[in-house]
Amino acid sequence: IGSSLRSRQQTRKKEPSATAEMAAMAALRCSLRTAAARPAAMGALRSAPWRVATPCSVFTRAFSDVKYAKTHEWLRVEGDTAVLGISDFAQSALGEVVYCDLPEAGATFSEKDTICTLESVKAVGEVYAPANCEVVEVNEKLADEPALVNKGPQGEGWLLKLKVTGSTDGLMNEEAYKKHLETESEEH
């Protein structure tokens, strides 16, 4: 039995990883958004046995002033404050958020400190400060409806408003973040 198992494993084609499948689905979804109609591709998408959020979906709501961290936080400057949240990719990986442990207004953090945690049905995710900052406001809606983080991570699901006191030079623009996601999915 051991030798027959070994020979079957050696002759079996290498199956694509879930990450490779996610990347393929992302490419398909992106192409579907840009095409007026592709009936065959749309049928294949609908018949897929699972549905995943893809890196492409991160960019459905584009802001030229949104910056991203390698740890999947986004920061959008609005006047003298900045809004912080997690990317669509991050919320998808985390799963359904059931609790948000947010700091109080006035709390200060250094770059890369854990600024808050998000608990999901799968795991607890840490959100990191993108720069030295002070919390100005928390999204109070998340206390009653933490799933807003999943429904609109760059909309109603924002986490904190910050007064940034440090440099944000280490953050990426949208295009660089998209490349980061592609590279990260290739590595896994």
Side-chain angles (χ1 to χ4, degrees):
I1 293 176
S3 63
S4 65
L5 282 175
R6 194 175 312 117
S7 64
R8 273 191 267 160
Q9 288 174 346
Q10 291 170 347
T11 59
R12 187 184 332 163
K13 288 182 179 179
K14 184 177 179 183
E15 294 183 24
S17 68
T19 305
E21 290 175 7
M22 286 175 49
M25 290 299 290
L28 178 60
R29 285 187 182 160
C30 288
S31 66
L32 289 174
R33 285 190 188 117
T34 59
R38 289 192 184 158
M42 289 176 69
L45 183 61
R46 280 192 209 109
S47 66
W50 44 267
R51 182 180 167 138
V52 296
T54 60
C56 180
S57 62
V58 171
F59 307 104
T60 57
R61 185 175 178 190
F63 295 99
S64 60
D65 59 345
V66 174
K67 300 290 184 184
Y68 298 87
K70 288 183 179 182
T71 51
H72 307 290
E73 294 85 9
W74 58 265
L75 189 71
R76 181 179 63 239
V77 176
E78 295 180 345
D80 61 346
T81 62
V83 181
L84 175 73
I86 63 170
S87 70
D88 188 60
F89 178 84
Q91 71 78 23
S92 175
L94 190 57
E96 182 184 350
V97 176
V98 295
Y99 179 73
C100 301
D101 186 14
L102 303 175
E104 294 183 17
T108 58
F109 297 90
S110 297
E111 182 177 3
K112 298 184 182 178
D113 283 352
T114 300
I115 197 166
C116 64
T117 56
L118 303 175
E119 295 182 22
S120 75
V121 294
K122 298 195 290 190
V124 175
E126 294 182 319
V127 179
Y128 302 103
N132 296 344
C133 59
E134 178 183 343
V135 176
V136 176
E137 181 182 344
V138 300
N139 187 346
E140 298 292 341
K141 291 181 184 179
L142 299 179
D144 295 327
E145 197 175 351
L148 284 174
V149 172
N150 300 105
K151 292 176 186 169
Q154 288 187 289
E156 288 187 331
W158 61 272
L159 302 172
L160 306 166
K161 290 192 178 179
L162 309 170
K163 178 182 177 188
V164 177
T165 57
S167 173
T168 59
D169 291 343
L171 300 178
M172 299 174 277
N173 64 23
E174 186 175 322
E175 187 62 31
Y177 181 65
K178 184 176 178 181
K179 287 179 184 175
H180 170 70
L181 289 175
E182 291 170 0
T183 302
E184 195 173 76
S185 68
E186 289 171 3
E187 291 174 359
H188 297 286

